[in-house]
């Protein structure tokens, strides 16, 4: 691993490092606060021998003193001196072993000085113990160095410095402990983050998706918390990161196969809760935004969610058609979005796989393909049931979704294998719910200014085409009585060069229309003034008829521009007869005539 790999791991798993560091610091701080303060009192002893008359005797005396220092250090930490000190002070609550554990004696090499330190919970008692211990050692050293015959001692010990009352404890060292806890927590957190990243087998980048599926990634959809409350994106006025990601995916879908682009697309995933239904809904919406006629098929006959997200009726739908209880014209429903229709799941059948694998299901898909530009199918997950694999085999292919940080490599590989087993093509993959920051993040471009938004909204409101005039999925004519000839004659006569106000568009998201699908009529054409009783309110609970197939919608006759309604006869252009030239009877023309 290189440096940028570690930086990527720290950026993606900074929470592990932060939590571990905080726990280590709190542990160090807690240990320091719970530790009883200890005070230390120090004394210094000087060891010497009797000086000789010559230099040689003085040198040997110094060597003897240094050798004695090492031995005296061991005696100072012994239990014998500790017991004598306790007897001198009259301390019965402390044993010789405990006092010996509190005594520390050390000496600097090549010197005759001994530093003695005694620690205790009380600063005064630590001072008294250190001074009494030093005094008793002076006496004990004299007794040990004095010969039996009563001669002078070979070495003597002098207390060079007595202990003073310590003002601050030596333990705990809170600042040092917290600093050590911080360092240990950082190192331990980094180690845990790296270990967690190495053991994590979930999908977190597009390279892993492409390697497993063997196809490209057609879309990377960022996580947007607003989709939990409103799964459907209103693309007419949406410039968020996920809206732009769906627009990019729409472009990629159009270039999957340039010669024969897929039109019946199954959207599925490995397991539930990976965002397949939300992706299917917004994929259909983004295709409808481009001016295409789209039908969204709720083919998840076990756990349908499309009707809930779009607010449509779900009592009758695909299962009703497959059971030969209704026709497509009876159950297709328009949505509040231009160019988008929904085929709900209908009642939940006991045998979804058998219904979806029937020949009638194939006929329904082909019928929808002939009626609409795109057929988006929301299918169940691949691993729990086999419905999605069956649907993909009768469609043009599938878009397989992998959820960032949840779908494992093994699960995604098994889902791809289920499609390959039935020779179902995988058109591409979608990496959904990626974080907006860190590893696998999706880019978000906001190239919109407030004035531009206002201008774009005004243009969209002026150029939007009513839902009843859509070419891709025209709504049925309202059930109203047609105006009679007398009614037409009662209308004011329209001039051939005048234009009457057009019908007001229906309620819905305003959006600019495509030029080749929603062309404005020439200025020289006129429309009749609408009759007051020509349009009536339609009940929302009625199933409108489905759009007719393209062969029935467009006849073989060439397109004729609509003419203005007028009682006057159309004016014809007068013919002007020019005078004829005189002809010479001789059959020859003069030079002037030529």
């Amino acid at each position: 691993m290189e440096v940028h790999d570690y930086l990527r791991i720290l950026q993606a798993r900074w929470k592990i490092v932060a939590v571990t560091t905080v726990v280590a610091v709190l542990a160090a701080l807690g240990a320091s606060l719970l530790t009883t303060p200890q005070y230390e009192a120090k004394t210094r002893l000087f060891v010497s021998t009797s000086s000789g008359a010559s230099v040689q005797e003085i040198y040997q005396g110094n060597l003897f003193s240094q050798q004695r220092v090492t031995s005296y250090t061991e005696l100072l930490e012994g239990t014998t001196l500790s017991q004598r000190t306790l007897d001198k002070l009259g301390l019965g609550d402390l044993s010789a072993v405990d006092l010996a554990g509190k005594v520390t004696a050390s000496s600097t090499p090549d010197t005759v000085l001994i530093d003695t330190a005694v620690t205790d919970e009380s600063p005064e008692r630590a001072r008294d113990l250190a001074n009494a211990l030093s005094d008793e050692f002076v006496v004990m050293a004299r007794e040990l160095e004095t010969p039996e015959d009563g001669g002078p001692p070979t070495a003597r010990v002098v207390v060079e410095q007595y202990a003073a009352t310590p003002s601050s404890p030596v333990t705990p060292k809170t600042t040092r402990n917290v600093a050590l806890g911080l360092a240990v927590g950082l190192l331990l957190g980094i180690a845990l983050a790296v270990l967690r990243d190495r053991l994590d087998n979930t999908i977190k980048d597009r390279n892993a998706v492409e390697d497993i599926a063997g196809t490209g990634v057609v879309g990377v959809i960022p996580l947007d918390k607003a989709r939990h409350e409103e799964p459907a994106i209103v693309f007419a006025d949406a410039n968020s990161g996920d809206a732009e990601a769906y627009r990019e995916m729409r472009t990629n879908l159009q270039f999957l196969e340039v010669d024969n682009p897929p039109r019946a697309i199954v959207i599925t995933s490995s397991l539930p809760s990976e965002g397949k239904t939300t992706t299917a809904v917004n994929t259909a919406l983004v295709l409808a935004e481009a001016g295409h006629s789209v039908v969204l098929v709720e083919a998840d006959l076990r756990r349908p969610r499309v009707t809930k997200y779009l607010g449509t009726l779900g009592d009758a739908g695909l299962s009703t058609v497959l059971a030969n209880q209704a026709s497509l014209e009876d159950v297709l429903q328009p949505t509040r979005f231009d160019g988008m229709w929904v085929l709900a799941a209908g009642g939940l059948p006991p045998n979804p796989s058998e219904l979806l694998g029937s020949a009638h299901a194939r006929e329904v898909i082909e019928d929808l393909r002939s009626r609409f530009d795109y057929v988006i199918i929301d299918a169940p997950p691949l691993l729990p049931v086999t419905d999605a694999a069956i649907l993909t085999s009768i469609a043009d292919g599938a878009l397989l979704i992998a959820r960032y940080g949840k779908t494992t490599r093994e699960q995604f590989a098994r889902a791809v294998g289920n499609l390959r087993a039935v020779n179902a093509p995988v058109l591409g993959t979608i990496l959904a719910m990626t974080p907006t920051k860190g590893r696998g993040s999706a880019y978000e471009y906001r190239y919109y200014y407030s004035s531009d938004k206002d201008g774009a909204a005004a243009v969209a409101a002026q150029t939007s085409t009513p839902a009843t005039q859509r070419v891709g999925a025209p709504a049925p004519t309202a059930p109203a009585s047609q105006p009679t000839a007398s009614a037409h004659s009662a209308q004011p006569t329209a001039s051939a060069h005048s234009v009457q106000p057009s019908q007001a568009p229906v309620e819905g998201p305003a959006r600019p229309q495509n030029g080749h699908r929603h062309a404005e009529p020439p200025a020289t054409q006129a429309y009749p003034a609408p009759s007051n009783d020509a349009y009536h309110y339609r009940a929302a609970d009625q199933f409108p008829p489905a759009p007719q197939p393209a062969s029935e919608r467009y006849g073989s006759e060439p397109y004729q521009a609509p003419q203005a309604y007028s009682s006057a006869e159309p004016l014809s252009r007068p013919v002007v007869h020019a005078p004829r030239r005189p002809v010479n009877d001789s059959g020859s023309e003069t030079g002037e005539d030529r």
Side-chain angles (χ1 to χ4, degrees), residues 44-49 61-73 105-115 156 160:
R44 178 172 294 176
L45 306 177
F46 178 80
V47 180
S48 63
T49 58
N62 288 334
L63 291 178
F64 180 77
S65 298
Q66 295 176 6
Q67 293 173 357
R68 281 290 190 266
V69 165
T70 305
S71 300
Y72 291 164
T73 301
S106 60
S107 61
T108 305
D110 300 331
T111 63
V112 292
L113 297 177
I114 301 175
D115 293 325
R156 68 187 184 95
E160 189 271 334

Side-chain angles (χ1 to χ4, degrees), residues 390-472:
I390 296 174
L391 287 170
T392 308
S393 63
I394 64 178
D396 293 338
L399 293 178
L400 188 56
I401 297 176
R403 179 174 176 178
Y404 178 94
K406 182 179 180 181
T407 306
T408 64
R409 297 172 182 266
E410 290 77 9
Q411 294 170 352
F412 196 71
R414 287 176 54 196
V416 174
N418 290 352
L419 293 177
R420 303 292 190 199
V422 296
N423 295 324
V426 180
L427 299 176
T429 56
I430 300 174
L431 186 58
M433 301 187 187
T434 60
T436 55
K437 296 181 180 179
R439 179 182 179 184
S441 61
Y443 298 98
E444 180 174 352
Y445 299 98
R446 294 186 179 272
Y447 195 67
Y448 297 90
Y449 301 96
S450 58
S451 60
D452 295 340
K453 284 184 179 180
D454 299 338
V459 173
Q462 295 176 2
T463 60
S464 61
T465 302
T468 56
Q469 297 179 8
R470 290 196 303 266
V471 177

Side-chain angles (χ1 to χ4, degrees), residues 195-214:
L195 180 62
R196 180 70 177 87
D197 186 79
R198 296 294 91 188
L199 296 178
D200 187 9
N201 64 341
T202 58
I203 295 177
K204 288 187 172 62
D205 54 67
R206 59 188 305 157
N207 294 330
V209 175
E210 292 175 351
D211 294 341
I212 296 174

